[in-house]
Amino acid sequence: MNRNIMDGDAMKSDVIVALDFPDRRSVLDFLNLFDSSDDPELFVKIGMELFYSEGAALVREIATRGHRIFLDLKIHDIPNTARGAMASLSRLPIDMVNVHASGGIDMMKSAREGLTRPDGTCPLLIAVTLLTSINDEKLRDELRIKTDLQSFVLGLASLARQAGMDGVVCSPLESYEIKACSSSHIITVSPGVRFPADATEDQARVVTPERARERLCDFIVVGRPITRAVDPVESLRRFRSAFLKTDQ
Ligand code: C5P
């Protein structure tokens, strides 16, 4: 449950644009493209590349421009360290942040404790199940996990639910099943989304935005097909229109 934005705006389904840029200048050049578009306020994802180079100052600057922010740092450490990391992040104007579900229930609960602000508000806290760059073969041959991929992901999603996470990061291929196994509402945030003509790059499990909608994803995360498009504004419009089924 979102304890941050009372009007539920952070919960509204959308395409989250992955700002995988190396520095502030390239991000701002990208965001400026949307200033005169019909829908200038985006839901953006700031990941490790940008956060490690520009830090909290850029998070604040992007929030000031009116964008919702998913801070994708995928915290994975012992519970005490995860709690401290989240306490530091709780001071930022963010809407969503994440941990790895494979860190276990205690770690996820500690992360929640750290992230909860003194006034009781808390950004959405979600847990990564399995990276969408991992397929069945890699799970079996490299990670040596004997369980099949879908059961493995469902197991991690169940841990996330037990730990009281607001949602999970998963492939759209598992979103429907995760929701079906969950008695209460659980948000699914899914990367690995491409139109058939797009390059899949390093994503091993990809689906179209239409399919992601059918699979009940609440949010899709799209990076390179938008950030490297000749016309990023038009590319986001296409993804939104296909995922949200609007004519915008
Ligand atoms: O460029 P692309 O659309 O592949 O970007 C996907 C984004 O989603 C990247 O920023 C990547 O770090 C992130 N992500 C992912 N798989 C996960 C979790 C996050 O691809 N399981």
Side-chain angles (χ1 to χ4, degrees):
M1 214 216 337
N2 174 41
R3 299 166 191 79
N4 188 25
I5 297 184
M6 298 316 287
D7 64 6
D9 199 36
M11 303 282 282
K12 216 172 92 202
S13 277
D14 205 349
V15 176
I16 302 180
V17 183
L19 297 179
D20 291 325
F21 291 105
D23 53 43
R24 175 176 176 273
R25 190 64 267 154
S26 26
V27 174
L28 296 186
D29 285 348
F30 175 78
L31 292 176
N32 286 341
L33 297 173
F34 293 85
D35 282 352
S36 55
S37 71
D38 294 343
D39 205 354
E41 289 174 10
L42 311 182
F43 200 150
V44 298
K45 181 174 88 68
I46 298 177
M48 298 180 202
E49 180 179 7
L50 197 54
F51 191 75
Y52 290 159
S53 75
E54 300 290 347
L58 186 62
V59 173
R60 293 198 173 91
E61 185 174 357
I62 291 175
T64 305
R65 294 172 68 116
H67 304 300
R68 290 186 281 165
I69 298 176
F70 167 22
L71 190 57
D72 177 25
L73 297 183
K74 301 187 178 74
I75 304 294
H76 191 178
D77 212 313
I78 58 172
N80 188 52
T81 307
R83 183 189 294 108
M86 286 296 177
S88 298
L89 298 181
S90 73
R91 296 191 273 276
L92 295 177
I94 54 176
D95 301 282
M96 187 187 283
V97 65
N98 58 359
V99 291
H100 268 285
S102 55
I105 292 177
D106 287 347
M107 188 204 76
M108 288 187 269
K109 285 186 170 170
S110 299
R112 169 72 79 199
E113 284 166 21
L115 191 62
T116 304
R117 299 169 176 135
D119 66 0
T121 63
C122 188
L124 292 170
L125 179 56
I126 62 175
V128 178
T129 53
L130 185 68
L131 299 176
T132 41
S133 51
I134 302 287
N135 59 12
D136 293 272
E137 258 171 27
K138 290 180 184 177
L139 188 72
R140 188 187 60 232
D141 301 339
E142 294 180 20
L143 304 187
R144 309 234 178 179
I145 305 282
K146 304 247 182 311
T147 326
D148 69 279
L149 190 145
Q150 188 168 83
S151 312
F152 186 65
V153 169
L154 288 176
L156 288 167
S158 164
L159 283 190
R161 262 198 321 277
Q162 288 172 55
M165 298 294 95
D166 298 304
V168 293
V169 183
C170 64
S171 160
L173 297 167
E174 291 107 32
S175 174
Y176 185 89
E177 288 72 14
I178 287 172
K179 291 200 175 231
C181 292
S182 178
S183 48
S184 54
H185 183 67
I186 185 158
I187 298 168
T188 54
V189 179
S190 297
V193 179
R194 295 287 187 272
F195 282 111
D198 294 333
T200 54
E201 284 119 347
D202 52 351
Q203 296 287 8
R205 293 178 288 142
V206 298
V207 305
T208 63
E210 292 89 347
R211 187 86 183 116
R213 176 170 41 80
E214 286 161 15
R215 305 285 302 164
L216 306 183
C217 296
D218 295 293
F219 295 93
I220 54 172
V221 178
V222 185
R224 290 161 290 184
I226 295 174
T227 56
R228 296 188 187 172
V230 177
D231 183 347
V233 175
E234 170 59 14
S235 177
L236 174 59
R237 194 202 58 76
R238 277 185 73 215
F239 272 99
R240 269 188 171 150
S241 147
F243 177 58
L244 303 172
K245 220 169 184 205
T246 63
D247 300 324
Q248 60 175 318

